[in-house]
């Protein structure tokens, strides 16, 4: 398999804090790679390293076949566009002026393609409206347009739907899918909003405490996600005791809910819980979600 980005034991320390610890990651060419982790897991740190905004403490990475310590790494980075944390836009400029300014920064010989970029991200009708008057979703799309200046074939997006309303989320989702499917752009998306990410990603990398704990394709994830029974009970500790005594596999989701991964006689389970003075408030058969799969990898305490 051909990879756009790989990392090799990549580490980043801030004094005594290890933001990344010997991280190994592989982003296939043509993928939408969902980089999954809770806040503070190291997602933004990785993005800052591969964009050249910070140096690693140890380890390295390879971008389009060029290692990070190679003098030609800047050439590979020209093939990459990124929106890190928040879009870098000039609020007192229009959308077109922002993109033209990025063309100047990149040293492009003309402004050819600016109109097409505005159309691609759905901002062709904004005219003389200043970016300060844009909605959050419009600013995010403008940030993506700026990242696409120079025609990169690898796009890195750091939490692109944070704070967006439902319409804004749909617009960003459709844009990302269009860039990937119609323009063959490989996309790395960091996010902790797993339900939305599951609508996009072809591959996943799960990070916890600065370390990759699992890489998996969407097809492999679908096969790995099992059917389960979502239980809501009056006493989650009593439920855990009963399930442990029955030798059943489960994940605690919240203070009242758990997913049970086993074929079980419901009557037997309800009677066992009744003996512990625990009521079953609801019971629903469902497929394991990306969120519950992630929790099973990192442990329930990750979302406690």
């Amino acid at each position: 398999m051909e990879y756009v980005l790989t990392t090799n034991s990549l580490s980043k320390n801030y004094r005594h804090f290890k933001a990344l610890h010997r991280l190994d990651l592989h982003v296939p060419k043509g993928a939408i790679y969902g980089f999954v982790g809770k806040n503070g897991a190291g997602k933004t740190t990785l993005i800052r390293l591969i964009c050249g905004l910070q140096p690693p403490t140890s380890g390295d990475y390879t971008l389009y076949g060029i290692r990070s310590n190679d003098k030609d790494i800047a050439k590979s980075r020209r093939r990459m566009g990124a929106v890190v944390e928040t879009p870098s836009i000039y609020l007192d400029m229009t959308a077109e002026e922002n993109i033209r300014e990025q063309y100047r920064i990149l040293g492009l010989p003309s402004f050819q393609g600016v109109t097409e970029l505005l159309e691609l991200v759905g901002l062709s009708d904004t005219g003389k409206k200043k970016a300060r008057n844009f909605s959050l979703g419009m600013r995010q799309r403008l940030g993506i347009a700026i990242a696409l200046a120079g025609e990169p074939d690898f796009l890195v997006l750091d939490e692109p739907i944070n704070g967006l309303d439902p319409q804004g989320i749909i617009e960003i989702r459709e844009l990302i899918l269009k860039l990937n499917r119609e323009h063959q752009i490989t996309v790395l998306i960091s996010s902790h909003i797993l339900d939305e990410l599951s609508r996009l990603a072809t591959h996943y990398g799960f990070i916890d405490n600065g370390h990759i704990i699992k890489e998996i394709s969407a097809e492999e994830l679908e096969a790995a996600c099992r059917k389960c029974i979502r239980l809501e009970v009056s006493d989650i500790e009593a439920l855990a005791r009963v399930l442990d005594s029955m030798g059943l596999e489960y994940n605690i989701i919240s203070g009242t809910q758990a997913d049970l991964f086993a074929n079980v006689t419901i009557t037997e389970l309800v009677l066992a819980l009744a003996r512990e003075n625990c009521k079953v408030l609801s019971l629903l058969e469902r497929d394991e979600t990306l969120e519950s799969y992630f929790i099973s990898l990192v442990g329930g305490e990750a979302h406690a």
Side-chain angles (χ1 to χ4, degrees), residues 17 19 24 26 49 57 76 86 91 100 108 138 141 147 159 169 206 215 230 235 239 246 249 263 272 279-280 295 301:
F17 173 66
D24 293 318
H26 309 79
L49 294 189
T57 302
S76 282
T86 57
L91 296 178
R100 284 174 175 261
L108 299 178
M138 291 170 67
R141 283 184 280 135
E159 301 281 4
I169 290 173
F206 296 93
E215 285 189 306
R230 172 67 58 88
D235 187 340
L239 175 65
M246 298 174 73
E249 182 183 355
N263 290 321
K279 297 179 181 179
V280 176
I295 292 173
E301 70 275 3

Side-chain angles (χ1 to χ4, degrees), residues 33-208:
Y33 188 99
F35 194 32
V36 180
K38 59 184 177 180
N39 289 332
K43 302 188 301 295
T44 299
T45 298
L46 172 75
I47 290 172
R48 294 181 69 83
L49 294 189
I50 64 175
C51 290
L53 300 176
Q54 293 179 344
T57 302
S58 62
D60 58 24
Y61 59 89
T62 300
L63 188 61
Y64 283 105
I66 298 179
R67 292 171 70 99
S68 55
N69 50 14
D70 191 296
K71 58 182 175 59
D72 291 327
I73 188 61
K75 294 181 180 178
S76 282
R77 287 207 189 99
R78 292 193 191 107
R79 299 180 64 178
M80 178 174 65
V83 180
V84 185
E85 297 181 292
T86 57
S88 298
I89 60 178
Y90 297 99
L91 296 178
D92 59 343
M93 290 185 179
T94 66
E96 181 175 348
E97 289 168 345
N98 266 281
I99 298 175
R100 284 174 175 261
E101 186 61 27
Q102 183 66 10
Y103 270 50
R104 294 188 186 97
I105 292 170
L106 295 175
L108 299 178
S110 73
F111 295 125
Q112 183 177 356
V114 171
T115 300
E116 289 78 4
L117 261 182
L118 287 169
E119 291 176 356
L120 178 61
V121 300
L123 294 175
S124 57
D125 60 350
T126 54
K128 296 183 179 181
K129 187 176 183 178
K130 303 296 185 183
R132 70 172 65 257
N133 298 316
F134 284 7
S135 68
L136 189 58
M138 291 170 67
R139 292 185 189 184
Q140 192 66 263
R141 283 184 280 135
L142 176 56
I144 292 174
I146 292 169
L148 292 172
E151 300 184 343
D153 45 15
F154 181 34
L155 181 63
V156 178
L157 302 175
D158 186 18
E159 301 281 4
I161 61 172
N162 251 12
L164 299 187
D165 61 24
Q167 182 60 36
I169 290 173
I170 292 171
E171 290 170 351
I172 294 297
R173 181 205 309 156
E174 292 178 346
L175 175 58
I176 291 170
L177 289 172
K178 184 175 184 178
L179 293 173
N180 178 253
R181 294 172 179 175
E182 298 181 18
H183 298 266
Q184 288 74 55
I185 294 176
T186 303
V187 186
L188 169 66
I189 308 174
S190 80
S191 184
H192 67 282
I193 304 175
L194 304 189
D195 178 62
E196 183 59 33
L197 196 58
S198 67
R199 303 169 190 262
L200 290 168
T202 63
H203 295 76
Y204 297 92
F206 296 93
I207 182 173
D208 190 44

Side-chain angles (χ1 to χ4, degrees), residues 229-247:
I229 297 173
R230 172 67 58 88
L231 290 161
E232 184 177 7
V233 296
S234 60
D235 187 340
I236 199 71
E237 294 181 359
L239 175 65
R241 288 196 302 272
V242 168
L243 296 180
D244 285 338
S245 69
M246 298 174 73

Side-chain angles (χ1 to χ4, degrees), residues 38 206-208 213 293-303:
K38 59 184 177 180
F206 296 93
I207 182 173
D208 190 44
I213 53 176
Y293 181 83
F294 174 62
I295 292 173
S296 72
L297 285 177
V298 303
E301 70 275 3
H303 280 229

